[in-house]
Amino acid sequence: QSQVFPMPTHASIEDSNQRLTVLSEHAQGAASLQEGSIDIWLDRRLKQDDARGLAQGVTDNVPTRTRLRVVVEDGKSYDTEAPEFIITPLAKRMWKELNHPLEMFGKVTQQPKSTGGLRGIASFEDLKIDASNLGQITPVNMPAKKEKTVEKSSGPDPINFATETFPFVYMVYQRVDYLKEAIASLRQSDFPRDRVPVIISHDGRVAEVVEFVEELKREDEFDIIQVFHPFSCLEHPDTFPGDDPKLNIDYAGDTYLHKREAKITCCKHHFTWLLNQVFGSVKLGNARAFLFLEEDYVIAPMIYRTLVEAYRAIDRGGYRERYFGVTLDPTEGFMQSTLKGKRFEVNKFIHKVFVTGPMAIDRAIYAKIRSGAKEYCTFDDYNWDWSMVHLMAKGILPEYVVSPSKPQAIHIGLEGGMHEKNMHAMMKRLQANIVKGKQLMMSFEVPTNANLSTPPVKKTRKARKGYGGWGHPADHQHCLELFGITDDESKASIQNE
C-alpha cells in the first residue's frame, strides 16, 4: 500500500508527446506500478487491521457504482516544461461533466422492466426522450391538455431546431481583456455548443487576440470558426482601405468637409464583409439568423432561449417581414442616462425602433439589405447601424425590432473606440449602469408563447444627413463590391450620388 496514493479527482502521467488522465467521480486510490501505466484501486478488502487508524479489517464492502473517464491529450495542449502539473481546460470541463451529469426525466410508457430487484425505476428503454429542442432533454409523452387552444395567426411554420440555428458572430479587434470577459459569459450561457458554431472575425492579426482564440479552438468546447478580415486597415496601413495619402488628393471631403481617415471607415468595412460572408457561407446554410456582437459585450445565461423565443413570437404573429430582427440590449449600450423605470421591472418582449446594439438578423432581412446595397454603401455615415437606419428611412428595411424588456447583453467597454474623448465624463455612470444592467440581465425570465403587438406600418423616421466619415468614392465602391455589385453598377451608383 505504500505505492498507492489518494486520488480525490484525477491522476495523470505524461511525457513530451502525450498526457493520459483518468478522471473519477469520487475518491479512489491510484498508483503507477509500471512505466506508462496508471493503476486505480476501486475497492479493498482486508481481513486484518492495516494500522492506519481504522482499528479493524475491512469486510463490510457493498456494491458501488464507479464511473471513470480517460482523457488522452497530445503535447500541444499542455506545457511540457512547466515545473508543476496543471490540468488542462478540457480535462477540467470533462471532470465537471462527470461529477454533474445531465439528469434525464421522462414518462413511463409501459410496465417497468426488471432492474435488478429495484422497484419503481423504469429502464432507459421505457423513456421516450426528445432532444431536439435546443439540446435540452424533455419528455414528449405528456398527457394532452384538455383546454381548447387557439392559433393566433396562420404565419410561417415554427422554428425547426433540426434545421435552423442561430450562430453567434463576434467582431474582434485588439481588446483581448474584453473578449475574455465576453467568452466567459458565453461559457456560462445556454448556447448549444454541441451543434451551433461561434464565428470569431478578426479585424487584423493582433497577436494576443489571435492566441486567445487559438487556445479556445484547442480546448474544443465550442465549434469555433475563426476568420480574418482580408481588408483590415491594420494589415494595410499605407494602402486602401488604410490611410493611402493619394486618396485625399483632389478629394473635397465628406458631408462635413472632413478628409478621409481609415480609422473611421474600418469598422463599417469589416461588418459589411462579415455580413456577406456568413450569409453567403454554404457551411452555415442552416442558420436562420446570426447574432452580431462586438468584443465588449457580455451576455445573459439564457440568451439563446431568449433569442429563440423572440423569433418564435415573430413567427407566431406572422411578422417575419415586419421586424428588422431581434436586439438584446434595450438600453442601446447605456445611451440612456438611467436604468430606472417600470419598463425594466417586467419580463416580456417589446417592440421598439431600432437604434443600435447586438443585433440578430435573419436571411429575409439580409435579402432586403442586399436590395438596398447602393443606399447603404453610398450613405455618408461611418456607422453600419446608422446606415441601416438610413435604409429604414428610405422604406427598404422595417424599422422595428423585438427586444426583451431587460437587457440580455451588456456593453462593458467604451475605451479604445470613437467614444474615447468622452470616457472620463461617462465612466462613473457607465460603471453604475453595468452593475445595474447585470442585475436586470440575471433577473429576466424568458417569456414563452409570447404574442407581439402588430408593429406600426407608418415610418417614424425621416431621411437625414449621416454622421460623415464615409464620403469617399473608394469606400463606396469597395462596399458595393462586397455585396457583389458589378463594376458597371458600382460606377453608375457613385456617379449618380
Side-chain angles (χ1 to χ4, degrees):
Q1 294 186 125
S2 62
Q3 301 294 325
V4 181
F5 297 88
M7 185 187 77
T9 57
H10 69 278
S12 294
I13 56 173
E14 67 178 54
D15 57 22
S16 59
N17 297 317
Q18 284 188 317
R19 172 185 288 182
L20 172 68
T21 303
V22 178
L23 306 172
S24 175
E25 65 177 343
H26 60 258
Q28 311 281 358
S32 182
L33 302 180
Q34 294 182 357
E35 186 72 19
S37 69
I38 295 179
D39 301 86
I40 306 297
W41 264 248
L42 302 181
D43 206 346
R44 67 175 184 160
R45 187 176 181 87
L46 301 173
K47 290 292 186 181
Q48 70 280 350
D49 178 35
D50 60 0
R52 291 180 179 270
L54 194 60
Q56 64 181 27
V58 181
T59 60
D60 57 347
N61 309 67
V62 295
T64 304
R65 184 190 71 171
T66 298
R67 294 190 304 175
L68 303 171
R69 184 171 289 185
V70 178
V71 183
V72 180
E73 301 169 282
D74 61 40
K76 296 180 181 179
S77 62
Y78 58 91
D79 185 359
T80 57
E81 304 297 329
E84 297 181 357
F85 174 85
I86 301 176
I87 189 171
T88 64
L90 173 62
K92 184 183 295 185
R93 179 169 64 86
M94 295 185 73
W95 181 83
K96 288 182 179 179
E97 291 178 355
L98 183 65
N99 280 268
H100 305 283
L102 180 66
E103 299 293 343
M104 297 186 295
F105 300 89
K107 180 178 176 63
V108 179
T109 58
Q110 60 187 36
Q111 186 66 27
K113 300 175 183 178
S114 173
T115 54
L118 298 176
R119 295 185 178 181
I121 301 179
S123 67
F124 183 80
E125 290 78 9
D126 292 324
L127 301 178
K128 186 175 182 182
I129 303 297
D130 176 16
S132 65
N133 190 5
L134 283 179
Q136 297 180 356
I137 299 178
T138 53
V140 298
N141 287 321
M142 300 298 289
K145 293 184 178 181
K146 300 299 182 181
E147 61 267 24
K148 183 179 179 181
T149 59
V150 179
E151 294 293 333
K152 183 177 183 296
S153 73
S154 57
D157 293 336
I159 295 170
N160 183 347
F161 293 104
T163 59
E164 293 185 330
T165 60
F166 299 84
F168 288 9
V169 184
Y170 286 88
M171 298 171 56
V172 304
Y173 180 38
Q174 60 183 2
R175 298 180 290 179
V176 69
D177 291 336
Y178 283 136
L179 179 59
K180 288 179 178 179
E181 288 195 53
I183 297 301
S185 69
L186 181 66
R187 291 184 195 276
Q188 297 171 14
S189 76
D190 61 344
F191 183 83
R193 60 207 72 192
D194 59 326
R195 60 185 184 85
V196 181
V198 176
I199 300 99
I200 299 180
S201 179
H202 298 265
D203 197 16
R205 295 178 183 270
V206 179
E208 57 183 356
V209 178
V210 174
E211 181 180 348
F212 174 67
V213 177
E214 292 288 352
E215 181 182 344
L216 289 177
K217 293 166 66 177
R218 287 193 296 270
E219 291 175 2
D220 201 30
E221 180 177 358
F222 298 96
D223 177 13
I224 301 288
I225 300 177
Q226 184 182 25
V227 296
F228 294 85
H229 179 208
F231 308 106
S232 165
C233 294
L234 189 66
E235 304 296 324
H236 305 84
D238 303 317
T239 59
F240 183 85
D243 281 316
D244 184 348
K246 297 191 296 293
L247 292 176
N248 278 320
I249 298 175
D250 298 327
Y251 172 52
D254 63 10
T255 302
Y256 303 93
L257 304 181
H258 296 149
K259 293 293 187 178
R260 182 185 185 275
E261 292 184 74
K263 67 178 183 180
I264 303 295
T265 65
C266 292
C267 184
K268 187 172 177 179
H269 279 309
H270 184 195
F271 173 79
T272 306
W273 172 81
L274 185 56
L275 179 76
N276 285 282
Q277 286 293 308
V278 296
F279 279 106
S281 169
V282 175
K283 180 178 180 179
L284 300 171
N286 68 332
R288 158 77 181 272
F290 295 91
L291 175 62
F292 292 89
L293 296 146
E294 294 185 16
E295 62 197 14
D296 56 353
Y297 270 90
V298 296
I299 59 176
M302 295 297 290
I303 189 168
Y304 199 84
R305 169 61 68 181
T306 301
L307 191 62
V308 165
E309 291 297 339
Y311 270 105
R312 278 180 168 166
I314 290 174
D315 287 355
R316 192 175 295 113
Y319 297 142
R320 285 196 182 190
E321 301 293 324
R322 302 284 294 277
Y323 282 108
F324 177 52
V326 178
T327 184
L328 280 303
D329 182 13
T331 73
E332 320 294 1
F334 299 130
M335 290 174 62
Q336 301 180 25
S337 60
T338 178
L339 293 183
K340 297 180 180 178
K342 291 185 177 180
R343 73 187 192 87
F344 292 117
E345 298 175 1
V346 295
N347 297 298
K348 65 177 183 178
F349 289 119
I350 60 175
H351 73 248
K352 56 187 286 295
V353 173
F354 171 72
V355 178
T356 186
M359 187 68 222
I361 300 174
D362 71 9
R363 294 187 179 278
I365 294 301
Y366 169 68
K368 291 179 179 290
I369 296 172
R370 279 188 58 85
S371 71
K374 291 180 182 179
E375 286 285 349
Y376 171 89
C377 288
T378 60
F379 181 56
D380 189 8
D381 195 313
Y382 66 90
N383 299 288
W384 70 264
D385 44 7
W386 284 103
S387 299
M388 295 293 180
V389 170
H390 175 68
L391 297 189
M392 295 170 185
K394 289 289 186 177
I396 298 171
L397 293 177
E399 59 182 334
Y400 283 87
V401 292
V402 175
S403 171
S405 55
K406 300 177 182 179
Q408 293 296 280
I410 296 294
H411 192 203
I412 60 172
L414 292 174
E415 64 270 37
M418 298 303 169
H419 310 279
E420 189 171 3
K421 61 185 178 182
N422 299 321
M423 179 52 56
H424 295 294
M426 298 177 67
M427 183 57 71
K428 187 175 181 179
R429 178 168 61 86
L430 171 65
Q431 291 174 339
N433 277 339
I434 289 175
V435 172
K436 178 63 176 176
K438 287 184 176 180
Q439 293 173 349
L440 290 172
M441 185 170 72
M442 300 299 290
S443 68
F444 184 65
E445 298 178 7
V446 184
T448 58
N449 300 317
N451 292 319
L452 298 172
S453 302
T454 304
V457 177
K458 185 179 179 180
K459 298 196 304 294
T460 62
R461 286 189 169 105
K462 296 181 180 180
R464 58 162 187 81
K465 289 197 305 182
Y467 287 113
W470 191 267
H472 202 288
D475 293 307
H476 299 175
Q477 183 166 341
H478 177 65
C479 176
L480 289 164
E481 289 171 355
L482 294 177
F483 278 104
I485 306 296
T486 63
D487 288 342
D488 291 340
E489 292 174 308
S490 172
K491 291 175 182 178
S493 173
I494 293 171
Q495 291 170 357
N496 291 330
E497 292 179 49

